[in-house]
Amino acid sequence: MPSNYPSAFVLQCVSDRASIFLCVSPGVQATFSQQPQDLVVVAGQPVTLPCSIPGYHGVVLWIKDGLALGVGRDLSGYPRYTVIGDHSTGEHHLRIQRVELMDDAVFECQAIQAAMRSRPARLTVLVPPEDPVISGGPVVSLRAGDPLNLTCHADNAKPAASIIWIRNGEVLNGAMYSKTLLRDGRRESTVSTLYLSASNIETGQQIICRASNKAVPNGKETSVNIDIQHLPLVNLSVEPQPILEGNLVKFHCSAKANPPITLFRWAKGGNVIKEVSEDTYEVIVDHSFFTEPVSCEVTNPLGSTNISRNVDVYFGPRMAAEPQSLQVDLGSDAVFNCAWTGNPSLTIVWMKRGSGVVLSNENILTLKAVRQEDAGKYVCRAVVPRVGAGEKEVSLTVNGPPTISSTQTHQALHGEKGEIKCFIRSTPPPDRIVMLESGTSGRYTVETVSTEEGVISTLTMSNIVPADFQTIYNCTAWNSFGSDTEIIRLKEQESLPVAVIIGVAVGALCNVFVNIVCLSILSCNLLLFPSDIKGVVSAKNDIRVEIVHKDHNAARENEEHTAMKQLMVSVSVLPPFPPVPNVKTTENSIPSSPLHTHR
């Protein structure tokens, strides 16, 4: 022992189990003027744990979680650790540079020779979360109408990070939150999922994820922009409207789309218009544009949107359902159907041709229990105000008994040829026509001519004699529905003036010549073709001339002959003639047309 040490100061050195010599000065009582305290520090920051033992000159150890960091100031095993302070005054502070998670522990300062130990100090190391990440960012795209699901994770934090979502400065509620403890048993990762309905999001919005813990109270944040992708939103305009048929119309197809538009396609009535591929279509319109819509189809990578518009075209009446002519039985109903289209709204009028009476303003015309006088032409007329009009004519044919019209008194000259005509309207055509007279000779020829209106039956008498003016003639026709009869008289015509007589005589001479030629031809025909004779002319009394129709179309078989002639003359030995129904008689001469009908 050196002589300069005071005699009263004797060092006592002992050896511990680690073969470290500890020397304590007897009689000296050391105390801690500073001891380490519990501290919370953020990883990466420096920290100092104080330890001051004034008057103590022995060895000081720093203990971490029960293990010595080194002897005295030698902490070579811990490069970030150093003991600082004035050793001579008993300062033995532990300095940690850039605190790490492994520094999260309990520390003690021990004075070995004085057998003293400081209170244990907990050093708590806080670890901020890593920068938060939003899955799919920085731009999240979704299809219009779909909900939004955003996931944000903040990893490796101590303690676990809290996450909030912010939009337009406001915190969004309802996010789901979960955390996971990592393998080191100290750090945790946090995941937060935000759900937003389609109605609660808009394209272009920015949504922020902010993660924070005690290490970063202000938090760390990241954001995403919402990109809502949608099919084209299309509007189709038509100008001008309304418009008269034959004028120019412009269609404009305006559209918004995300992603951008790639194609325009036009169609009319479902048929593609290949020559147009832009957003505008110009065309001269007709009536079809009123019923066949024009469509614009706009396409982007998500798909297509189609929109259609009709044009309010003004046009005159056009037939939609053509009426058909009818043939109905007497007493039955006749129903005509006539449909027109037009724009603006049209008016329909049904009339019978020549009457001027409006029968209906509907598409359908119904004639109840038709009579024969209902037969004729009917007109369906449509009018579009200030635009135009159209009409369609149909026929009504009424099946019923024949109706005969004739002038009840015919005139003739004595010694000349005379004619009696009767006009028979009959649907179906008459099966049999009879021109009958009683009490004279057989000088008769009967000729029937079929026309569109009916059958004209003419009884021709040659060489009129006085008895012909006293005879009563009748015209009778039959068909499957019944018969009709007309009584006709022949009246002697007054003599003509001399000039007229001369003219008639000249005409007669010409007629004689023609007759001679005809008779010659007829004679030849009779000699060559005797089988063609239809009857024999007789001079007996009670003569009947009867025409029987077997083929209703026979009168039209030859264009050069417009009527079929049949002559049947029978003598009194013929069987009795059937009774004549519906006989109509009159004593007065009716000054009307030869086809006038009496009712």
Side-chain angles (χ1 to χ4, degrees):
M1 179 179 299
S3 60
N4 59 346
Y5 275 86
S7 59
F9 184 79
V10 179
L11 291 176
Q12 295 181 358
C13 297
V14 297
S15 176
D16 64 2
R17 289 177 296 177
S19 299
I20 299 176
F21 289 95
L22 302 177
C23 299
V24 180
S25 299
V28 177
Q29 186 172 355
T31 60
F32 287 101
S33 63
Q34 283 185 304
Q35 296 187 61
Q37 304 293 322
D38 291 342
L39 292 176
V40 176
V41 63
V42 177
Q45 296 179 351
V47 67
T48 299
L49 297 175
C51 181
S52 296
I53 311 172
Y56 175 72
H57 301 284
V59 177
V60 174
L61 297 180
W62 278 96
I63 307 298
K64 174 185 176 184
D65 285 340
L67 297 175
L69 298 177
V71 177
R73 294 178 179 263
D74 182 12
L75 305 178
S76 58
Y78 297 88
R80 294 179 296 104
Y81 290 9
T82 57
V83 177
I84 63 173
D86 187 356
H87 178 73
S88 63
T89 60
E91 293 178 350
H92 304 276
H93 310 314
L94 178 62
R95 176 76 170 178
I96 305 175
Q97 298 291 338
R98 298 179 309 278
V99 173
E100 295 180 2
L101 186 61
M102 64 178 63
D103 301 326
D104 191 288
V106 176
F107 291 83
E108 289 183 9
C109 177
Q110 294 183 1
I112 300 303
Q113 287 87 345
M116 295 187 309
R117 58 192 302 177
S118 69
R119 62 180 297 276
R122 161 63 67 180
L123 180 61
T124 301
V125 179
L126 303 179
V127 180
E130 296 177 358
D131 292 340
V133 176
I134 299 177
S135 300
V139 177
V140 174
S141 297
L142 69 156
R143 190 160 182 162
D146 291 346
L148 175 64
N149 282 294
L150 293 178
T151 299
C152 180
H153 56 89
D155 300 329
N156 302 322
K158 181 179 176 294
S162 296
I163 295 177
I164 60 173
W165 295 89
I166 301 170
R167 179 179 63 185
N168 299 330
E170 296 182 358
V171 176
L172 299 173
N173 298 318
M176 303 295 293
Y177 178 89
S178 65
K179 60 183 180 179
T180 303
L181 183 65
L182 303 183
R183 290 182 179 182
D184 59 18
R186 297 171 182 267
R187 292 171 300 165
E188 294 178 283
S189 292
T190 303
V191 176
S192 178
T193 301
L194 176 68
Y195 172 86
L196 293 175
S197 64
S199 61
N200 198 25
I201 51 177
E202 296 178 3
T203 191
Q205 284 184 339
Q206 184 183 65
I207 297 179
I208 297 171
C209 171
R210 179 180 294 169
S212 63
N213 68 357
K214 292 180 180 180
V216 279
N218 292 330
K220 297 180 177 182
E221 62 183 37
T222 187
S223 65
V224 292
N225 290 316
I226 305 303
D227 178 38
I228 299 179
Q229 298 185 345
H230 55 83
L231 293 171
L233 304 176
V234 183
N235 179 57
L236 180 57
S237 62
V238 184
E239 294 293 339
Q241 283 204 99
I243 188 169
L244 191 63
E245 184 177 27
N247 287 298
L248 185 69
V249 160
K250 180 179 179 180
F251 297 86
H252 180 65
C253 189
S254 58
K256 296 180 180 179
N258 182 27
I261 295 167
T262 58
L263 177 67
F264 284 92
R265 190 171 71 160
W266 294 86
K268 174 179 175 286
N271 299 315
V272 175
I273 306 171
K274 295 181 180 180
E275 59 270 19
V276 184
S277 59
E278 302 299 327
D279 61 354
T280 300
Y281 170 46
E282 293 185 342
V283 65
I284 293 176
V285 297
D286 58 22
H287 70 282
S288 65
F289 285 80
F290 186 71
T291 54
E292 297 178 9
V294 171
S295 63
C296 171
E297 182 180 82
V298 184
T299 302
N300 73 350
L302 293 183
S304 300
T305 301
N306 189 301
I307 186 171
S308 299
R309 290 285 300 275
N310 290 87
V311 184
D312 190 12
V313 182
Y314 284 0
F315 61 95
R318 292 181 180 271
M319 183 67 68
E322 186 172 345
Q324 302 298 318
S325 295
L326 297 177
Q327 182 172 337
V328 298
D329 292 344
L330 184 69
S332 299
D333 295 343
V335 180
F336 293 101
N337 186 12
C338 172
W340 296 85
T341 61
N343 187 44
S345 298
L346 51 76
T347 301
I348 292 180
V349 175
W350 277 100
M351 293 183 297
K352 187 175 183 182
R353 180 70 79 188
S355 72
V357 177
V358 176
L359 303 176
S360 174
N361 290 114
E362 305 294 332
N363 289 342
I364 295 177
L365 169 64
T366 301
L367 301 175
K368 295 286 189 179
V370 296
R371 298 171 296 175
Q372 287 182 327
E373 54 263 34
D374 293 325
K377 304 290 186 181
Y378 289 82
V379 177
C380 176
R381 181 176 176 83
V383 178
V384 177
R386 302 184 303 278
V387 178
E391 66 177 38
K392 180 66 178 179
E393 182 181 88
V394 290
S395 297
L396 174 62
T397 303
V398 179
N399 294 327
T403 58
I404 299 176
S405 58
S406 176
T407 301
Q408 276 68 41
T409 301
H410 288 62
Q411 293 185 347
L413 290 173
H414 182 270
E416 303 294 336
K417 181 177 71 174
E419 290 182 344
I420 294 175
K421 293 180 179 287
C422 65
F423 177 71
I424 301 115
R425 287 188 178 91
S426 178
T427 304
D431 299 319
R432 185 172 57 166
I433 301 172
V434 172
M435 294 287 287
L436 175 66
E437 65 87 31
S438 60
T440 60
S441 60
R443 297 169 285 107
Y444 307 106
T445 300
V446 175
E447 181 182 46
T448 60
V449 178
S450 296
T451 68
E452 291 184 358
E453 301 297 329
V455 176
I456 300 175
S457 183
T458 303
L459 174 64
T460 302
M461 295 168 286
S462 62
N463 191 20
I464 297 295
V465 298
D468 293 334
F469 300 117
Q470 306 300 321
T471 301
I472 296 176
Y473 303 87
N474 77 50
C475 176
T476 303
W478 288 264
N479 68 7
S480 58
F481 287 85
S483 63
D484 192 18
T485 295
E486 186 78 21
I487 300 300
I488 307 169
R489 288 181 172 84
L490 191 65
K491 180 180 179 181
E492 184 174 6
Q493 184 177 346
E494 295 180 358
S495 299
L496 296 176
V498 175
V500 175
I501 294 173
I502 295 173
V504 171
V506 173
L509 290 175
C510 294
N511 188 41
V512 168
F513 176 75
V514 172
N515 288 337
I516 292 172
V517 174
C518 293
L519 288 174
S520 300
I521 296 173
L522 179 61
S523 300
C524 293
N525 287 337
L526 291 174
L527 292 173
L528 294 175
F529 308 105
S531 60
D532 289 343
I533 299 176
K534 299 299 181 178
V536 178
V537 178
S538 173
K540 297 289 184 178
N541 293 335
D542 300 323
I543 293 177
R544 294 183 296 181
V545 181
E546 180 175 355
I547 304 302
V548 180
H549 285 267
K550 298 301 181 183
D551 184 355
H552 300 153
N553 296 318
R556 301 176 184 233
E557 290 180 354
N558 192 326
E559 294 179 354
E560 296 180 356
H561 297 273
T562 60
M564 177 181 69
K565 301 181 179 181
Q566 293 180 339
L567 176 62
M568 297 183 64
V569 181
S570 51
V571 295
S572 58
V573 297
L574 293 176
F577 198 77
V580 177
N582 300 329
V583 176
K584 295 180 288 185
T585 62
T586 179
E587 296 298 334
N588 298 320
S589 176
I590 306 299
S592 60
S593 68
L595 304 185
H596 182 78
T597 302
H598 280 278
R599 290 294 177 212

